[in-house]
Amino acid sequence: MKKCAAVPFTTLCITFLLAFGLVSCDTSSESNASLARHNGLPLVGGSAAGDLGPPVGEPIIAMLTSPPNVPPPIRRNTPAKLIVHLEMREVEMPISEGVTYTFWTFGGTVPGSFIRVRQGDTIEFNLANHPSSKMPHNIDLHAVTGPGGGASSSFTAPGYESQFTFKALNPGLYVYHCATAPVGMHVANGMYGLILVEPPEGLPPVDREYYVMQGDFYTVGKYREKGHQEFDMQKAIDENATYVLLNGSEGALVGDNALSANTGETIRLFIGNGGPNLISSFHVIGEIFDKVYTEGGSHFQENVQTTLVPAGGAAIVEFRVEVPGTLLMVDHAIFRAFNKGALGMIKVDGPENPAIYTGREVDSVYLGDKVNDLSIVAEVTSAFTTTGEVTPAQQIAAGEVLFSGTCSVCHQLDGSGLAGVFPPLAGSDFFLEDRIRAIDIVLNGMLGPVTVNGQIYDSVMPPMSQLNDDEVAYILSYALNSWGNDGGSVSAAEVTERRASTSRPPGAAQ
Ligand SMILES: [Cu+2]
């Protein structure tokens, strides 16, 4: 016979007694019931319920996938012995257009290979470190019950392999990461991924599943500064991220790499956050999450706009897409999306559904320079770095892309401005009179009255000093040679000189 220990429970028991005239307070049957249901939700029983006995049948080699792909759902109804082979490699890959970084990876990608197992499975984990690696690495899987999550059994020098075995007791979506000192540095270099432990009955069927994981990156050079970039330990300690990325690169989920779906389909995203420092306010512009398995656990919340994904945490989000167009996945800490790269796309195809939404694309409102092909900007810059020369035509082509993403919101795509508010650049006597002054305006902004073609404008242009010197040169060269303007060019060296000899207003990027 159990006792009525806690106060609210006592109250409950008393109510129970009064209602049914019972004399004892036996809750043994009730504790079973409360294991099954709590506030109307089924409980899954935690790790105590996760040991489904010894593996049944021959060992199975686990199928791992690279992001954004997810292995197919598990159809077994018995626990198995699953053999995982994962190789750690240090690889140079693009982090942005024209920018490379040496990532440390699980399986050659950032995030690392997706692992899918079933609750109760016994997992033999084989971790290899490629001979070309410079560092030792290991793995801490948050799905492991045991000290270090496997880290202490998996320390692996270059050219070696290690093995440990664990039973996946708790269902859920879990982060794994390297835990070799300095841990922060290994994580910042991309050493994380997700492991899904499916409940025995599996997850409800959906039409598409994808794998998206955020991470913050710290480079010595500024955002989009071209060439190879090194890790910056001080920026990492200061939590001053240069890039915040979905799937390890600015281009990973945009343009041709966008995720795809058709109207009427339900999408499930396995969202992770490797950190090392920043939490993610994960949001899809143009959708509402029908379900969110908060923090990757067993219960879902419904009808959610933005879900918080902690560093070293995960979430499963599901939504049905009703109308065609491009959905944007972002960290809604929004400067990260538009100035640090935390942006991905889902292209939804299908017939318009004006009863639900009348318009089509969100691209022009939100996307800025991502509508266009930024690779042209990178190509021009790297041509300059290798040959020391950029043709005027190349400069102008790169400038057009950047202008449309940066200046056209105010000065308009055709440079005509907006009467009384934004002065024109097309045929502007003021602009064409002094191209060096134009550099200063772009870098430092402009305020107070200015007369352009006889019209007075008295407004504010914010400084655009977040653009690098190449970018400012391309934009101004494009503007000088467009819309009937009479030509000329601006060089990156001239921008460098003006940046050094003028000062930005307080608060502007330097
Ligand atoms: Cu490592």
Side-chain angles (χ1 to χ4, degrees):
M1 179 137 96
K2 274 255 173 145
K3 53 271 87 166
C4 304
V7 175
F9 210 68
T10 313
T11 322
L12 235 166
C13 285
I14 290 168
T15 319
F16 205 67
L17 280 168
L18 291 176
F20 297 98
L22 298 178
V23 284
S24 78
C25 193
D26 190 339
T27 59
S28 56
S29 61
E30 212 175 311
S31 66
N32 280 338
S34 72
L35 186 72
R37 301 196 78 77
H38 172 70
N39 289 337
L41 290 169
L43 290 184
V44 298
S47 57
D51 191 347
L52 308 177
V56 176
E58 286 299 302
I60 301 167
I61 307 278
M63 175 197 188
L64 309 187
T65 56
S66 300
N69 299 314
V70 180
I74 293 169
R75 305 242 177 256
R76 277 182 282 118
N77 45 28
T78 48
K81 177 166 182 181
L82 212 61
I83 300 173
V84 172
H85 286 282
L86 190 56
E87 186 183 57
M88 303 179 288
R89 259 177 285 159
E90 298 166 7
V91 283
E92 185 177 312
M93 294 190 289
I95 189 167
S96 179
E97 290 288 352
V99 191
T100 57
Y101 187 78
T102 303
F103 294 92
W104 300 351
T105 75
F106 288 104
T109 56
V110 176
S113 308
F114 196 100
I115 308 169
R116 189 167 195 154
V117 309
R118 183 176 180 272
Q119 185 183 12
D121 280 350
T122 298
I123 294 116
E124 178 195 295
F125 211 98
N126 297 278
L127 191 66
N129 192 355
H130 195 272
S132 66
S133 295
K134 299 201 167 49
M135 296 285 161
H137 303 288
N138 65 3
I139 195 167
D140 168 354
L141 297 122
H142 293 179
V144 167
T145 305
S152 49
S153 341
S154 60
F155 182 84
T156 314
Y160 284 79
E161 184 164 4
S162 58
Q163 190 194 83
F164 63 98
T165 299
F166 70 97
K167 189 169 276 194
L169 297 179
N170 298 71
L173 182 62
Y174 297 93
V175 167
Y176 66 78
H177 62 89
C178 183
T180 302
V183 179
M185 181 177 178
H186 286 250
V187 173
N189 283 337
M191 295 202 81
Y192 44 76
L194 291 179
I195 174 170
L196 173 68
V197 183
E198 282 197 47
E201 70 281 9
L203 295 171
V206 290
D207 299 297
R208 292 174 191 261
E209 293 184 328
Y210 289 115
Y211 170 23
V212 176
M213 196 159 181
Q214 181 167 316
D216 29 298
F217 294 87
Y218 304 82
T219 62
V220 172
K222 291 211 287 186
Y223 173 65
R224 286 191 185 167
E225 193 171 310
K226 302 292 181 272
H228 187 77
Q229 289 297 329
E230 299 294 334
F231 171 69
D232 187 319
M233 187 65 157
Q234 191 55 51
K235 279 191 189 167
I237 293 168
D238 295 342
E239 305 191 11
N240 174 21
T242 323
Y243 292 88
V244 181
L245 300 172
L246 304 180
N247 288 3
S249 159
E250 264 212 280
L253 294 167
V254 304
D256 291 345
N257 298 327
L259 305 181
S260 60
N262 297 314
T263 52
E265 290 182 332
T266 298
I267 304 174
R268 174 179 290 138
L269 300 178
F270 295 105
I271 305 294
N273 185 4
N277 289 319
L278 304 178
I279 57 173
S280 170
S281 304
F282 187 76
H283 177 81
V284 174
I285 299 177
E287 260 300 339
I288 296 145
F289 304 140
D290 297 331
K291 285 185 189 173
V292 177
Y293 293 81
T294 332
E295 294 166 5
S298 298
H299 297 303
F300 58 81
Q301 169 68 290
E302 293 180 276
N303 308 315
V304 173
Q305 60 194 302
T306 301
T307 193
L308 213 55
V309 190
I316 305 173
V317 306
E318 295 174 11
F319 50 95
R320 184 173 185 270
V321 285
E322 272 82 15
V323 296
T326 302
L327 302 171
L328 303 180
M329 299 177 279
V330 296
D331 181 339
H332 213 297
I334 210 74
F335 270 108
R336 298 179 189 168
F338 296 108
N339 300 74
K340 296 189 172 194
L343 184 143
M345 298 177 185
I346 307 173
K347 295 223 162 116
V348 182
D349 279 327
E352 298 284 351
N353 190 344
I356 291 175
Y357 186 67
T358 51
R360 203 184 141 86
E361 292 287 319
V362 294
D363 293 21
S364 53
V365 186
Y366 273 113
L367 283 178
D369 59 16
K370 291 201 176 59
V371 178
N372 297 298
D373 188 3
L374 273 177
S375 61
I376 185 164
V377 180
E379 257 167 49
V380 173
T381 312
S382 67
F384 181 75
T385 327
T386 47
T387 66
E389 267 174 57
V390 191
T391 68
Q394 283 178 315
Q395 258 204 334
I396 290 166
E400 183 172 9
V401 173
L402 293 161
F403 183 89
S404 76
T406 314
C407 321
S408 75
V409 274
C410 298
H411 294 288
Q412 306 301 302
L413 275 176
D414 62 0
S416 61
L418 198 65
V421 189
F422 303 124
L425 300 180
S428 158
D429 54 358
F430 184 85
F431 171 40
L432 299 172
E433 177 183 272
D434 187 347
R435 53 186 193 93
I436 299 300
R437 180 176 61 196
I439 301 175
D440 295 354
I441 292 172
V442 172
L443 289 178
N444 306 325
M446 185 177 191
L447 75 170
V450 55
T451 306
V452 179
N453 300 341
Q455 298 284 313
I456 298 174
Y457 294 83
D458 190 357
S459 189
V460 180
M461 171 169 152
M464 302 275 149
S465 47
Q466 79 281 4
L467 297 165
N468 66 34
D469 296 347
D470 288 316
E471 291 170 336
V472 173
Y474 300 159
I475 289 174
L476 288 173
S477 300
Y478 165 70
L480 288 168
N481 289 278
S482 303
W483 323 301
N485 286 349
D486 54 10
S489 72
V490 166
S491 71
E494 287 172 314
V495 182
T496 310
E497 194 279 315
R498 296 311 296 166
R499 202 187 287 266
S501 58
T502 62
S503 57
R504 253 68 48 225
Q510 292 308 303

